[in-house]
Amino acid sequence: MIRIPFLTRRLRDYSLEPLSANDSPAIATLHQEDFHRPWTDGEFASLLEQDTVFGFVARETGRRAQAPVGFVLARLAAGEAEILTIAVARAHRRQGLGWKLMDAVLRELHRERAEALFLEVDEHNAAAIALYRRFGFSEVGKRPNYYQSATGASGALVMRRDLR
Ligand SMILES: CC(C)(COP(=O)(O)OP(=O)(O)OC[C@H]1O[C@@H](n2cnc3c(N)ncnc32)[C@H](O)[C@@H]1OP(=O)(O)O)[C@@H](O)C(=O)NCCC(=O)NCCS
């Protein structure tokens, strides 16, 4: 039998919910996939216990009991917000999930009447930089040798988006 891949491929949909400290072990596992210095579940739990920190977790729709496939964590204090981290599991990328997670943060910040959103991103992280630029972030600074890894150091771009 001949298989036609585009007909058999299942389209995925995702639902988001607010992150809670209970999600810490699962999101720490996701974080390990991509970050040279992954954060532990204890670090995530203590961040999520802070009043200023919030985030969203994504699961495939209809698979509530399944492990998260993406998450975003942000902090809002005195009108200024920051993306602390965002990650989408490799098998779920380029399907609009990073966009959905960032959009959820922006909606929450608009509700809270925040003024600006900042983030730091590795200058070589083309995927994340493309995502942020599509959201209207622009570069406002650079921190040389900010990220250290086994292959050397790289700089961080500081990006900002006005929310007013
Ligand atoms: C960055 C990341 C969160 C994007 O998640 P994603 O679910 O794949 O992103 P989306 O599918 O929502 O993409 C939205 C847009 O971002 C841009 N983009 C995302 N991945 C891209 C890539 N690999 N190359 C170029 N542009 C990319 C595109 O403009 C894309 O829109 P399009 O698909 O219509 O072209 C994901 O690649 C990731 O988890 N990376 C590892 C962790 C990381 O680097 N986090 C950022 C730390 S600052």
Side-chain angles (χ1 to χ4, degrees):
M1 190 182 85
I2 300 169
R3 282 176 184 261
I4 305 172
F6 69 83
L7 286 181
T8 53
R9 193 175 143 206
R10 189 167 56 86
L11 289 174
R12 287 166 159 166
D13 194 19
Y14 302 98
S15 54
L16 303 197
E17 55 191 75
L19 262 177
S20 80
N22 292 339
D23 295 309
S24 301
I27 63 176
T29 302
L30 260 183
H31 200 251
Q32 274 172 16
E33 266 192 29
D34 287 289
F35 292 89
H36 178 65
R37 220 281 297 160
W39 299 353
T40 64
D41 54 347
E43 286 172 308
F44 278 112
S46 63
L47 279 168
L48 283 162
E49 276 157 15
Q50 296 172 26
D51 290 343
T52 52
V53 174
F54 69 97
F56 297 92
V57 60
R59 291 186 174 80
E60 276 195 84
T61 303
R63 296 186 167 206
R64 223 183 136 65
Q66 299 283 329
V69 295
F71 74 98
V72 62
L73 198 64
R75 187 194 328 256
L76 170 62
E80 286 200 344
E82 179 189 3
I83 297 292
L84 298 175
T85 189
I86 178 170
V88 170
R90 287 183 186 177
H92 295 265
R93 288 188 192 159
R94 291 316 285 268
Q95 298 183 68
L97 186 47
W99 179 274
K100 245 183 162 172
L101 289 162
M102 286 295 296
D103 187 58
V105 168
L106 286 169
R107 283 168 192 270
E108 177 65 18
L109 293 175
H110 281 299
R111 257 194 303 275
E112 295 290 333
R113 302 186 186 284
E115 288 165 18
L117 176 57
F118 290 84
L119 58 84
E120 279 156 5
V121 57
D122 188 316
E123 62 187 341
H124 301 302
N125 190 342
I129 293 170
L131 173 67
Y132 301 144
R133 285 204 196 287
R134 279 197 62 188
F135 268 101
F137 281 86
S138 53
E139 190 181 327
V140 292
K142 193 167 172 180
R143 300 188 205 283
N145 301 320
Y146 189 70
Y147 299 105
Q148 311 290 331
S149 78
T151 53
S154 57
L157 303 184
V158 182
M159 302 185 87
R160 178 185 192 279
R161 185 193 193 272
D162 220 335
L163 299 175
R164 288 277 165 96

